[in-house]
Amino acid sequence: EAQVTQNPRYLITVTGKKLTVTCSQNMNHEYMSWYRQDPGLGLRQIYYSMNVEVTDKGDVPEGYKVSRKEKRNFPLILESPSPNQTSLYFCASRDLYGYTFGSGTRLTVV
Amino acid sequence: GENVEQHPSTLSVQEGDSAVIKCTYSDSASNYFPWYKQELGKRPQLIIDIRSNVGEKKDQRIAVTLNKTAKHFSLHITETQPEDSAVYFCAASHQAGTALIFGKGTTLSVSS
């Protein structure tokens, strides 16, 4: 089954403790992206990658890092999480026919 | 860069009525316009999309129209049902493989 897999689904962490949210797709898509969703603000793009070793900033990249060492994986890294990064995060991959989203990761930073 | 405005932010209709959600975009080079439906606690799901060489597209009770001159596109849902209640997002981008910019979403409530 074609899918985008994100882990974990829920995460509560403390300020400053580095964390990684994993994202993997099995559709051989070149384009992958991370979004955060906040009430009233919609889906805002954090980073995207057009292919292996090619990443670029989206609209809200501050405080985040990504890597794309292989086509299927696109992890999101928070080196020093802060409470304003509490949000719902979605990974997505894209082909000509649109985005496929992962199930989401609800992150709470206390 | 691209900016997508979506209206209204909330929409309440009676079952059986029609619902219309409108979006405008800023980048005249955008040529791909999808619509996503997000039910509570779930991921956004693509429900319909349109490309700039087409003015209208229908799929059963939903349709999307595109006016490239005015840079706006709309989602039309006819004969609404309670299961249509969700948040709907419009988006715009260039060719496949580039950033998809989303509107802020419309919460549609269909009451029976």
Side-chain angles (χ1 to χ4, degrees), chain A:
Chain A
E1 179 191 351
Q3 59 185 2
V4 177
T5 303
Q6 269 180 255
N7 281 296
R9 290 292 308 276
Y10 302 92
L11 179 59
I12 301 175
T13 190
V14 296
T15 299
K17 185 176 181 183
K18 181 180 178 179
L19 66 91
T20 300
V21 183
T22 63
C23 175
S24 180
Q25 51 98 359
N26 63 0
M27 296 167 281
N28 203 37
H29 289 169
E30 293 181 346
Y31 185 93
M32 298 184 73
S33 183
W34 276 101
Y35 287 85
R36 61 176 289 174
Q37 184 175 17
D38 302 289
L41 297 178
L43 291 151
R44 294 180 293 166
Q45 192 174 49
I46 303 170
Y47 268 94
Y48 64 95
S49 169
M50 297 184 72
N51 213 328
V52 175
E53 302 292 359
V54 180
T55 64
D56 211 344
K57 297 177 181 179
D59 294 325
V60 288
E62 293 76 22
Y64 304 95
K65 284 175 57 177
V66 292
S67 70
R68 188 89 182 276
K69 293 185 170 58
E70 49 192 339
K71 187 180 275 191
R72 64 182 292 122
N73 295 323
F74 190 44
L76 180 70
I77 303 156
L78 285 72
E79 294 270 3
S80 183
S82 63
N84 64 11
Q85 293 177 298
T86 292
S87 187
L88 177 60
Y89 291 86
F90 286 101
C91 178
S93 71
R94 180 178 175 183
D95 63 6
L96 283 171
Y97 305 102
Y99 272 30
T100 301
F101 283 88
S103 298
T105 297
R106 186 164 292 282
L107 172 66
T108 302
V109 183
V110 299

